[in-house]
Amino acid sequence: MANKQFTRADRVAQQIQRDLATVIRAELDHPQASLITVTDVEVSRDYSHAKVFYTFLGDVSHRPEIARLLEGTKGFLRAQIARGFSLYKMPELHFEYDESIEYGMNLTQKIDQANALPKAPEEDGQA
């Protein structure tokens, strides 16, 4: 079993991810806030910036509205999660939509479609 060493930045990123997910669900006053999933957080080495990757499981047409909601409330979200940290400076949050979930679902669908195609007959008498 490989022994992976987690840096402090990794632990801070994981805590930000957990706390943000909780605050978004509980505190944001939007009917579809519960459909936002924080998939990953990357914190810069100096802890001044945190790139927050998220997905939205609702209707695709609401995605720009959700992006505006997150951008508009990032100061509030930052203040809420700062309560649980003992950092000199809380990282500035930058939200980025994570398309990897949709990409994976699309890839799975294409594989399923390919598997459903009729198979070519096997050739006898190979040389």
Side-chain angles (χ1 to χ4, degrees), residues 9-10 12-14 16 41-51 91:
D10 293 334
V12 168
Q14 290 173 352
I16 289 174
V41 175
E42 294 176 356
V43 178
S44 63
R45 292 178 81 186
D46 64 354
Y47 306 109
S48 61
H49 298 278
K51 190 183 295 186

Side-chain angles (χ1 to χ4, degrees), residues 6-125:
F6 290 98
T7 64
R8 183 167 188 237
D10 293 334
R11 291 190 302 273
V12 168
Q14 290 173 352
Q15 187 65 42
I16 289 174
Q17 182 177 353
R18 284 191 300 267
D19 291 353
L20 264 180
T22 302
V23 171
I24 287 171
R25 260 191 312 278
E27 301 288 331
L28 286 189
D29 188 28
H30 191 277
Q32 296 183 327
S34 63
L35 300 175
I36 300 170
T37 303
V38 179
T39 57
D40 194 22
V41 175
E42 294 176 356
V43 178
S44 63
R45 292 178 81 186
D46 64 354
Y47 306 109
S48 61
H49 298 278
K51 190 183 295 186
V52 179
F53 295 94
Y54 72 95
T55 60
F56 176 65
L57 302 175
D59 187 6
V60 176
S61 65
H62 295 290
R63 198 184 305 164
E65 178 185 349
I66 294 300
R68 284 191 303 274
L69 171 72
L70 291 173
E71 282 298 317
T73 59
K74 68 181 175 182
F76 168 77
L77 294 171
R78 182 180 180 203
Q80 292 298 310
I81 64 172
R83 295 177 183 179
F85 281 90
S86 60
L87 292 175
Y88 177 72
K89 180 182 178 187
M90 188 66 196
E92 183 179 335
L93 303 177
H94 304 279
F95 290 96
E96 192 168 311
Y97 189 78
D98 185 0
E99 296 183 10
S100 66
I101 302 293
E102 291 174 14
Y103 179 77
M105 288 173 40
N106 187 24
L107 194 58
T108 299
Q109 182 182 24
K110 288 182 180 195
I111 290 170
D112 290 344
Q113 288 172 352
N115 286 336
L117 292 173
K119 300 201 185 320
E122 292 187 26
E123 293 182 25
D124 292 334

